[in-house]
Amino acid sequence: MSRAQNRVAILHGVNFDVLERRDASLYGGMTLSELEYKIGNWAGEHGLEPSFFQTNSEAEFCGYLHRLSEGADAAIINAGAWTHYSRAIGDALAVDPVPTIEVHLSDVENREDWRKVSVFDGLVEEKISGQGVDGYRLAVEALAKILDTDRD
Ligand code: DQA
């Protein structure tokens, strides 16, 4: 029998290792572990098997994306500031793609103009921003629909 298509990689980029030290009015004041714990619970509720990755190294992030489909059937990506300027990371996502949702905690459409640009345009199923942690719940639900894991 073939393997269930239910593995979701949750990828965080630069500065997410210090999430709790960043502006709480934008990013919620939680630690990355607290955020990942919540995402893990939502994933489990929808029959998804989560894995987590964070790095401050652009090279490591690209390397992970080059092999994305080896460990994941879908992905949630919040690449932080890289989102807005790293064409290298956009190109890396195109190398070995899986259905991916882009998430931002803050409302990037209503902040500085440079944050409105995303290198993932045209590469992701959907972009969710400005919903705080709840954005990840919405992303998990959207991927569960795409992978059809919600059946009991
Ligand atoms: C962010 C938005 C980015 O503009 C910023 O550089 C981040 C976090 C968010 O989740 O709101 O690091 O991706």
Side-chain angles (χ1 to χ4, degrees), residues 14 16 22 27 78 80-81 84 103-106 108 111 115:
V14 63
F16 275 89
R22 302 183 69 189
Y27 305 125
N78 186 346
H84 313 302
V103 173
H104 300 282
L105 290 162
S106 67
V108 288
R111 295 180 63 192
R115 292 187 203 269

Side-chain angles (χ1 to χ4, degrees), residues 78-147:
N78 186 346
W82 287 332
T83 304
H84 313 302
Y85 68 86
S86 177
R87 294 277 168 204
I89 286 178
D91 283 354
L93 180 60
V95 170
D96 187 24
V98 296
T100 298
I101 309 243
E102 175 183 346
V103 173
H104 300 282
L105 290 162
S106 67
D107 186 1
V108 288
E109 305 301 333
N110 288 297
R111 295 180 63 192
E112 301 92 330
D113 278 350
W114 60 269
R115 292 187 203 269
K116 293 179 184 155
V117 175
S118 173
V119 299
F120 304 121
D121 264 3
L123 293 173
V124 293
E125 308 293 318
E126 199 184 331
K127 172 174 167 178
I128 300 172
S129 69
Q131 313 263 2
V133 182
D134 220 35
Y136 290 87
R137 185 179 58 74
L138 299 172
V140 163
E141 286 173 7
L143 290 179
K145 279 208 176 66
I146 289 170
L147 296 177

